[in-house]
């Protein structure tokens, strides 16, 4: 059963489609944090596009990567950090059951080190503008554009990264 159309919306999605899209978004975040780049790439259609910023100079999506292999390679950028954690804080989906769009809000933590060796947490407050396509009964990313709204720097106290001090 489909929900009634809401004002300002051109299309609606069934609840099951919304759940599947939310799962797709969560699996992407988990795969990136786990450094499972091939697993993240297969969440994209073969001809999909991932557009990413080039922080700190460019916070909008300026680097475009097409196809699963290029997307997996682009995601390897997180290897520059010791840990990452993507927290999805909001998601809105619209579509018709064959294609959909999404606006995903996320806070992404990037733990690394300053040139002095001191730990640092770069916190990106970001949004994804997504396009999805249902293919062989499964939702996939057709296009994903990442924009950073702002960046914070924090000094973490402790981390599970073994090389960091466990002293409080």
């Amino acid at each position: 059963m489909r929900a009634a159309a809401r004002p300002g919306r051109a299309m609606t999605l069934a609840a099951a489609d919304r759940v599947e899209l939310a799962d797709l978004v969560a699996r992407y975040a988990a795969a990136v944090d786990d450094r499972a780049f091939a697993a993240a790439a297969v969440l994209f259609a073969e001809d999909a596009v991932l557009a990413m910023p080039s922080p700190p100079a460019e916070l909008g999506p300026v680097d475009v990567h097409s196809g699963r292999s290029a997307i997996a390679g682009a995601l390897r950028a997180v290897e520059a950090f010791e840990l990452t954690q993507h927290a999805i804080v909001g998601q809105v989906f619209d579509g018709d059951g064959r294609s959909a769009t999404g606006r995903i809000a996320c806070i992404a933590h990037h733990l690394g080190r300053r040139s002095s060796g001191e730990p640092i947490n770069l916190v990106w407050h970001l949004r994804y503008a997504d396009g999805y396509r249902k293919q062989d009964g499964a939702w996939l990313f057709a296009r994903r554009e990442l924009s950073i709204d702002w960046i914070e720097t924090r000094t973490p106290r402790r981390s599970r990264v073994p090389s960091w001090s466990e002293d409080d």
Side-chain angles (χ1 to χ4, degrees):
M1 181 174 171
R2 291 192 162 282
R6 295 183 196 152
R9 292 194 178 197
M11 302 176 278
T12 60
L13 282 169
D17 288 320
R18 292 180 188 283
V19 169
E20 289 175 29
L21 288 166
D23 186 62
L24 176 71
V25 166
R27 287 182 185 281
Y28 170 87
V32 170
D33 289 341
D34 291 345
R35 308 300 198 263
F37 306 116
V42 298
L43 300 174
F44 288 79
E46 288 188 36
D47 62 344
V49 170
L50 174 65
M52 299 175 67
S54 184
E58 294 290 337
L59 300 183
V62 294
D63 295 328
V64 179
H65 310 277
S66 300
R68 288 179 175 163
S69 178
I71 290 168
L75 295 176
R76 289 189 167 286
V78 301
E79 290 179 322
F81 301 98
E82 295 173 4
L83 287 172
T84 58
Q85 183 180 76
H86 290 75
I88 300 160
V89 296
Q91 50 195 7
V92 176
F93 304 107
D94 288 302
D96 64 7
R98 294 179 313 274
S99 65
T101 59
R103 181 195 182 282
I104 311 303
C106 179
I107 300 171
H109 296 267
H110 303 79
L111 295 178
R113 295 199 174 268
R114 297 180 190 273
S115 58
S116 66
E118 180 186 8
I120 187 171
N121 178 11
L122 296 173
V123 184
W124 294 1
H125 296 265
L126 58 90
R127 288 178 279 146
Y128 292 100
D130 291 341
Y132 313 102
R133 165 166 77 225
K134 200 165 208 177
Q135 189 173 310
D136 299 324
W139 285 103
L140 298 171
F141 293 103
R143 182 170 186 88
R144 179 157 247 218
E145 295 184 0
L146 189 159
S147 295
I148 301 171
D149 290 328
W150 75 91
I151 300 172
E152 297 176 48
T153 56
R154 301 178 186 174
T155 302
R157 222 170 100 180
R158 292 183 71 179
S159 166
R160 69 174 170 85
V161 176
S163 63
W164 288 16
S165 169
E166 290 295 322
D167 297 332
D168 283 329

